PDB file of all heavy atoms in Angstrom:
ATOM      1  N   ALA H  48    -166.155  24.537-124.188  1.00  0.00           N
ATOM      2  CA  ALA H  48    -167.359  23.713-124.298  1.00  0.00           C
ATOM      3  C   ALA H  48    -167.729  23.511-125.771  1.00  0.00           C
ATOM      4  O   ALA H  48    -168.078  22.396-126.202  1.00  0.00           O
ATOM      5  CB  ALA H  48    -168.512  24.366-123.536  1.00  0.00           C
ATOM      6  N   ALA H  49    -167.623  24.577-126.561  1.00  0.00           N
ATOM      7  CA  ALA H  49    -167.952  24.471-127.987  1.00  0.00           C
ATOM      8  C   ALA H  49    -167.001  23.501-128.678  1.00  0.00           C
ATOM      9  O   ALA H  49    -167.419  22.667-129.496  1.00  0.00           O
ATOM     10  CB  ALA H  49    -167.864  25.853-128.634  1.00  0.00           C
ATOM     11  N   ALA H  50    -165.719  23.582-128.339  1.00  0.00           N
ATOM     12  CA  ALA H  50    -164.726  22.716-128.977  1.00  0.00           C
ATOM     13  C   ALA H  50    -164.935  21.255-128.592  1.00  0.00           C
ATOM     14  O   ALA H  50    -164.878  20.357-129.437  1.00  0.00           O
ATOM     15  CB  ALA H  50    -163.319  23.174-128.587  1.00  0.00           C
ATOM     16  N   LEU H  51    -165.191  21.013-127.304  1.00  0.00           N
ATOM     17  CA  LEU H  51    -165.347  19.629-126.841  1.00  0.00           C
ATOM     18  C   LEU H  51    -166.581  18.980-127.479  1.00  0.00           C
ATOM     19  O   LEU H  51    -166.614  17.765-127.676  1.00  0.00           O
ATOM     20  CB  LEU H  51    -165.448  19.569-125.312  1.00  0.00           C
ATOM     21  CG  LEU H  51    -164.187  19.949-124.525  1.00  0.00           C
ATOM     22  CD1 LEU H  51    -164.434  19.851-123.022  1.00  0.00           C
ATOM     23  CD2 LEU H  51    -162.996  19.071-124.904  1.00  0.00           C
ATOM     24  N   GLY H  52    -167.595  19.787-127.808  1.00  0.00           N
ATOM     25  CA  GLY H  52    -168.815  19.229-128.391  1.00  0.00           C
ATOM     26  C   GLY H  52    -168.849  19.275-129.915  1.00  0.00           C
ATOM     27  O   GLY H  52    -169.812  18.810-130.529  1.00  0.00           O
ATOM     28  N   SER H  53    -167.794  19.795-130.519  1.00  0.00           N
ATOM     29  CA  SER H  53    -167.816  20.000-131.971  1.00  0.00           C
ATOM     30  C   SER H  53    -167.828  18.681-132.755  1.00  0.00           C
ATOM     31  O   SER H  53    -167.120  17.736-132.427  1.00  0.00           O
ATOM     32  CB  SER H  53    -166.585  20.819-132.384  1.00  0.00           C
ATOM     33  OG  SER H  53    -166.380  20.739-133.775  1.00  0.00           O
ATOM     34  N   ARG H  54    -168.644  18.664-133.827  1.00  0.00           N
ATOM     35  CA  ARG H  54    -168.689  17.466-134.696  1.00  0.00           C
ATOM     36  C   ARG H  54    -167.434  17.331-135.551  1.00  0.00           C
ATOM     37  O   ARG H  54    -167.156  16.274-136.075  1.00  0.00           O
ATOM     38  CB  ARG H  54    -169.893  17.564-135.641  1.00  0.00           C
ATOM     39  CG  ARG H  54    -171.202  17.393-134.923  1.00  0.00           C
ATOM     40  CD  ARG H  54    -172.322  17.239-135.921  1.00  0.00           C
ATOM     41  NE  ARG H  54    -173.596  17.176-135.222  1.00  0.00           N
ATOM     42  CZ  ARG H  54    -174.757  17.009-135.825  1.00  0.00           C
ATOM     43  NH1 ARG H  54    -174.805  16.881-137.132  1.00  0.00           N
ATOM     44  NH2 ARG H  54    -175.865  16.964-135.131  1.00  0.00           N
ATOM     45  N   ASP H  55    -166.737  18.452-135.734  1.00  0.00           N
ATOM     46  CA  ASP H  55    -165.531  18.433-136.567  1.00  0.00           C
ATOM     47  C   ASP H  55    -164.288  18.018-135.794  1.00  0.00           C
ATOM     48  O   ASP H  55    -163.199  17.951-136.356  1.00  0.00           O
ATOM     49  CB  ASP H  55    -165.265  19.843-137.126  1.00  0.00           C
ATOM     50  CG  ASP H  55    -166.400  20.322-138.002  1.00  0.00           C
ATOM     51  OD1 ASP H  55    -167.067  19.455-138.599  1.00  0.00           O
ATOM     52  OD2 ASP H  55    -166.616  21.543-138.068  1.00  0.00           O
ATOM     53  N   ALA H  56    -164.436  17.782-134.482  1.00  0.00           N
ATOM     54  CA  ALA H  56    -163.261  17.545-133.650  1.00  0.00           C
ATOM     55  C   ALA H  56    -162.477  16.322-134.118  1.00  0.00           C
ATOM     56  O   ALA H  56    -163.047  15.311-134.539  1.00  0.00           O
ATOM     57  CB  ALA H  56    -163.679  17.375-132.193  1.00  0.00           C
ATOM     58  N   ARG H  57    -161.156  16.443-134.044  1.00  0.00           N
ATOM     59  CA  ARG H  57    -160.244  15.319-134.282  1.00  0.00           C
ATOM     60  C   ARG H  57    -159.754  14.881-132.910  1.00  0.00           C
ATOM     61  O   ARG H  57    -159.292  15.716-132.119  1.00  0.00           O
ATOM     62  CB  ARG H  57    -159.068  15.781-135.142  1.00  0.00           C
ATOM     63  CG  ARG H  57    -159.522  16.313-136.477  1.00  0.00           C
ATOM     64  CD  ARG H  57    -158.506  17.233-137.114  1.00  0.00           C
ATOM     65  NE  ARG H  57    -159.078  17.770-138.357  1.00  0.00           N
ATOM     66  CZ  ARG H  57    -158.419  18.518-139.226  1.00  0.00           C
ATOM     67  NH1 ARG H  57    -157.157  18.830-139.000  1.00  0.00           N
ATOM     68  NH2 ARG H  57    -159.002  18.962-140.315  1.00  0.00           N
ATOM     69  N   VAL H  58    -159.819  13.592-132.640  1.00  0.00           N
ATOM     70  CA  VAL H  58    -159.533  13.132-131.278  1.00  0.00           C
ATOM     71  C   VAL H  58    -158.368  12.149-131.274  1.00  0.00           C
ATOM     72  O   VAL H  58    -158.397  11.133-131.982  1.00  0.00           O
ATOM     73  CB  VAL H  58    -160.785  12.463-130.655  1.00  0.00           C
ATOM     74  CG1 VAL H  58    -160.538  12.167-129.177  1.00  0.00           C
ATOM     75  CG2 VAL H  58    -162.012  13.347-130.827  1.00  0.00           C
ATOM     76  N   LEU H  59    -157.347  12.468-130.483  1.00  0.00           N
ATOM     77  CA  LEU H  59    -156.267  11.514-130.223  1.00  0.00           C
ATOM     78  C   LEU H  59    -156.709  10.622-129.072  1.00  0.00           C
ATOM     79  O   LEU H  59    -157.326  11.087-128.111  1.00  0.00           O
ATOM     80  CB  LEU H  59    -154.990  12.242-129.820  1.00  0.00           C
ATOM     81  CG  LEU H  59    -154.340  13.123-130.887  1.00  0.00           C
ATOM     82  CD1 LEU H  59    -153.248  13.978-130.252  1.00  0.00           C
ATOM     83  CD2 LEU H  59    -153.758  12.260-132.003  1.00  0.00           C
TER      84      LEU H  59
END
Side-chain angles (χ1 to χ4, degrees):
Chain H
L51 293 180
S53 165
R54 289 191 184 182
D55 298 332
R57 300 158 184 186
V58 188
L59 294 169

